[in-house]
């Protein structure tokens, strides 16, 4: 059964959200290793930095696509 245009667009929006979650989070372990060994940050400092980045991303995200 073919999907109409609005159903396809809604599906794409949902899939894009899943895509962004998985592509952003894959680099966090690598950044953690680099920050702890290369820069000398503690695990708690890395956690606070990651949390601040996530909050800033949520707050300053520009709504598009309407």
């Amino acid at each position: 059964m073919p999907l109409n245009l609005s159903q396809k667009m809604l599906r794409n929006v949902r899939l894009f959200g899943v895509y962004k979650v998985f592509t952003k989070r894959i680099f966090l372990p690598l950044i953690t290793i680099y920050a702890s060994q290369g820069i000398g940050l503690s695990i708690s400092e890395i956690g606070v930095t990651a949390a601040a980045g996530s909050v800033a991303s949520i707050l300053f995200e520009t709504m598009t696509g309407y």
Side-chain angles (χ1 to χ4, degrees), residues 19-61:
Y19 166 79
K20 289 298 284 182
V21 166
F22 284 113
T23 57
K24 182 178 180 181
R25 301 296 179 212
I26 198 162
F27 293 107
L28 193 55
L30 300 175
I31 292 171
T32 303
I33 293 170
Y34 171 73
S36 65
Q37 292 180 357
I39 301 174
L41 295 177
S42 70
I43 298 299
S44 61
E45 292 171 330
I46 294 169
V48 169
T49 304
S54 295
V55 169
S57 175
I58 290 170
L59 291 177
F60 297 115
E61 183 175 332

Side-chain angles (χ1 to χ4, degrees), residues 10-25:
L10 184 59
R11 181 177 179 267
N12 285 342
V13 169
R14 289 183 188 141
L15 289 176
F16 184 71
V18 171
Y19 166 79
K20 289 298 284 182
V21 166
F22 284 113
T23 57
K24 182 178 180 181
R25 301 296 179 212

